[in-house]
Amino acid sequence: MTTREISIYGSPLLFRQLILNLLTNAIEAYQGTEQKDKTVLITLHADNANNELSVRDHGVGIPKDKLYKIFEPFYTTKPSDTGIGIGLSTVKSIVEQELGGSIKVQSGEYTTFTIRWPQNSSPTRHGEH
C-alpha cells in the first residue's frame, strides 16, 4: 500500500459535516439488525486527477424504489423521532458545491456511498459563485 498526500480545498467544517453524516448513516443502518459484524469500511483513493472517498456498510440497505429520493431534503426512511432527512441532501450539496464533485450510491448486499472530486481543483467557498 502506498501513501499519498491528498489535498482537500474548501471548508474543513463542511468536510467534517460530510464525513459525519455518511458515518452516522452507515452506523444507523445496523439498527434493528442482528448482525454480529457491524463494520463500516472507509476507503480513500487518489490519482493525479481525482480523490475518491467511499463509505460502505452491510446494514439493512436501501430499497431500489427509494434510491432516487435519498438525496432530497427532508426525505427519510427512518422513524420520525430519529431523523428529519437532511443528512444526505447536505452531503450532496457539500460534494457538488464545495468540492465540485459527484456522489453516487449503490445498495444491495451492502450500501456504498462514493464521492469523487477533483484532486487539484481551486478552492471554492460555500455560497460564492
Side-chain angles (χ1 to χ4, degrees):
M1 181 177 286
T2 59
T3 302
R4 177 187 174 113
E5 184 175 311
I6 296 174
S7 299
I8 300 172
Y9 296 102
S11 167
L13 183 62
L14 290 176
F15 194 77
R16 179 176 178 240
Q17 186 66 47
L18 179 152
I19 299 297
L20 182 62
N21 285 346
L22 289 177
L23 290 177
T24 298
N25 279 358
I27 292 166
E28 288 176 351
Y30 290 110
Q31 291 180 348
T33 70
E34 295 184 19
Q35 292 173 287
K36 292 187 183 356
D37 180 16
K38 297 181 178 183
T39 302
V40 175
L41 177 65
I42 302 164
T43 57
L44 182 61
H45 299 282
D47 58 28
N48 290 334
N50 294 296
N51 297 318
E52 183 175 283
L53 172 75
S54 295
V55 177
R56 180 170 76 182
D57 67 70
H58 294 275
V60 296
I62 303 166
K64 291 197 183 309
D65 65 333
K66 309 260 193 255
L67 278 175
Y68 75 98
K69 296 182 82 171
I70 63 170
F71 294 112
E72 292 179 9
F74 305 108
Y75 177 77
T76 184
T77 58
K78 299 174 189 172
S80 61
D81 62 339
T82 61
I84 60 171
I86 61 169
L88 289 177
S89 66
T90 299
V91 166
K92 186 173 193 266
S93 176
I94 292 169
V95 168
E96 292 176 352
Q97 295 176 18
E98 181 72 14
L99 297 176
S102 63
I103 184 169
K104 69 177 183 174
V105 61
Q106 296 176 309
S107 192
E109 181 181 337
Y110 52 84
T111 299
T112 304
F113 286 88
T114 303
I115 297 167
R116 289 182 58 86
W117 72 97
Q119 170 71 6
N120 296 316
S121 64
S122 60
T124 58
R125 299 290 181 248
H126 188 69
E128 291 180 13
H129 299 282

